[in-house]
Amino acid sequence: MREETGVNGLARRIRESYGQFTPAESQIADLLLASPELMLGFTATELAARAGVSKPTVTRFVGRLGLSSFQEFRERARSNHVPEPGSPLDLLARALDVTGGDLGVLVTESLRRDIDNLERTYLGLDSEQLDVLVDLLVDAPRVAFADFRKQYALAYYAGTLFNSIRPDVRVLPAPGTSAEDGLLDLGAGDLAVLFPFRRAQRDHEITARAVVDRGATLVSIGDRHPNHADALATIHLVCESGGVGLFDSLVAPMSIINLLFTATANRLGEPAQERLADLERQHRTFGTFVRESSGRSASGREAMWLQ
């Protein structure tokens, strides 16, 4: 059997060997031929679970291909594959290099990396920049938190927090619109915050330029990767986001959002307290939250609407 490397080479070998497989091994072959990218990232355990077979069946399957182990199978799959830097496939390959697919190692490394991300992010904060940003969050007539794809979660989280302590907060893009639609009312004195991480997106450049063109202040909370938004921003807070996952770790930016929220609430003082109190009254009026009545057994507890 000739030497085959790369995903395409192994797929060819699987097709050539198909007649030798048992029914269970054929399930693995069918899965990998339908989704060849699984050769790059799955462990033997994960592949067995996805194919609905046992792990020993996976071992026999790669042996049927003339390979000594599943590790050799995966190394050959990845030998000619060069994923785009920063892509999920690239990050997955790096993660597997660190963890070897071991869940215990993944847990330990994830914790270690996130603690390191938080520490480096906070040590790198510029106190003067932070002070200016809090003033902007207090004084800007309108504040917009915007981003796209997975970073939209950061914009949404920030928007829900800040809306509870000050008026005229929006999250962009709103469903069914573009970010530019939401920028129509932004002007001089207003503030827009973007969260660019990892690969630069065309949406970041378009939105950043639109914010600046309208005379609003642009702030970027992102990583160290080059991005048009960072270049146009008045303030760029750097958040470390390295990890062992398929995507960036967003622990540090989430923490920075919480920090800015608390600092802004403190600086707003009474207006923030009044808005929070009004929000609590609304919760009581509409029975937003429930609590358990006292004196009930675990099996007989009843939910009581907060009054």
Side-chain angles (χ1 to χ4, degrees):
M1 188 175 290
R2 67 175 180 273
E3 192 83 358
E4 298 281 16
T5 59
V7 169
N8 292 335
L10 285 175
R12 185 164 48 248
R13 179 179 288 196
I14 291 171
R15 285 192 292 269
E16 291 174 352
S17 305
Y18 198 90
Q20 305 172 28
F21 298 142
T22 65
E25 292 165 359
S26 295
Q27 290 177 227
I28 303 173
D30 292 341
L31 174 63
L32 293 179
L33 291 175
S35 303
E37 70 277 3
L38 299 183
M39 300 184 205
L40 296 167
F42 269 28
T43 64
T45 301
E46 291 166 336
L47 181 59
R50 177 67 71 88
V53 300
S54 66
K55 188 175 177 181
T57 301
V58 174
T59 301
R60 289 192 293 271
F61 170 79
V62 296
R64 200 85 67 181
L65 297 174
L67 304 176
S68 61
S69 66
F70 186 80
Q71 181 64 26
E72 182 185 358
F73 175 82
R74 192 167 61 187
E75 287 174 356
R76 291 210 181 186
R78 293 164 56 184
S79 62
N80 293 333
H81 181 78
V82 183
E84 179 184 349
S87 70
L89 279 176
D90 176 43
L91 296 178
L92 175 60
R94 296 186 199 180
L96 286 169
D97 286 339
V98 174
T99 67
D102 185 282
L103 180 58
V105 176
L106 177 61
V107 169
T108 302
E109 279 300 304
S110 294
L111 176 61
R112 185 183 69 80
R113 297 286 183 93
D114 279 342
I115 291 173
D116 183 61
N117 286 337
L118 284 168
E119 187 172 87
R120 291 167 60 201
T121 296
Y122 275 83
L123 289 175
L125 288 176
D126 183 311
S127 58
E128 291 184 4
Q129 273 195 338
L130 204 60
D131 190 61
V132 171
L133 178 50
V134 173
D135 276 343
L136 288 169
L137 289 164
V138 169
D139 297 331
R142 301 179 188 86
V143 176
F145 296 99
D147 219 282
F148 312 90
R149 304 182 74 241
K150 294 170 184 64
Q151 292 94 270
Y152 182 80
L154 294 173
Y156 182 81
Y157 180 62
T160 57
L161 288 184
F162 279 84
N163 183 62
S164 68
I165 59 171
R166 56 151 296 158
D168 295 310
V169 174
R170 63 188 63 183
V171 178
L172 305 177
T177 70
S178 68
E180 289 65 48
D181 294 333
L183 297 175
L184 289 175
D185 295 329
L186 246 60
D190 294 330
L191 174 66
V193 182
L194 285 174
F195 300 91
F197 280 84
R198 189 62 59 175
R199 293 184 287 182
Q201 299 177 42
R202 178 67 173 161
D203 287 327
H204 285 142
E205 180 180 4
I206 294 171
T207 304
R209 290 194 181 282
V211 169
V212 173
D213 288 346
R214 300 192 72 83
T217 300
L218 176 66
V219 168
S220 169
I221 300 177
D223 58 19
R224 299 179 183 277
H225 292 82
N227 192 286
H228 293 291
D230 301 339
L232 293 171
T234 300
I235 295 174
H236 175 212
L237 295 187
V238 176
C239 293
E240 302 296 340
S241 60
V244 288
L246 277 70
F247 298 98
D248 295 299
S249 168
L250 300 182
V251 169
M254 289 289 277
S255 181
I256 292 299
I257 290 170
N258 285 327
L259 170 69
L260 292 170
F261 169 69
T262 303
T264 303
N266 289 341
R267 196 161 295 184
L268 279 166
E270 189 173 336
Q273 294 172 11
E274 290 176 352
R275 190 170 175 88
L276 285 168
D278 188 28
L279 183 59
E280 286 301 310
R281 285 191 291 271
Q282 292 296 313
H283 287 324
R284 286 195 293 272
T285 298
F286 292 99
T288 305
F289 302 110
V290 296
R291 68 183 178 191
E292 293 175 350
S293 58
S294 59
R296 299 280 182 176
S297 65
S299 60
R301 287 175 179 164
E302 296 177 354
M304 178 184 294
W305 294 105
L306 284 175
Q307 300 299 319

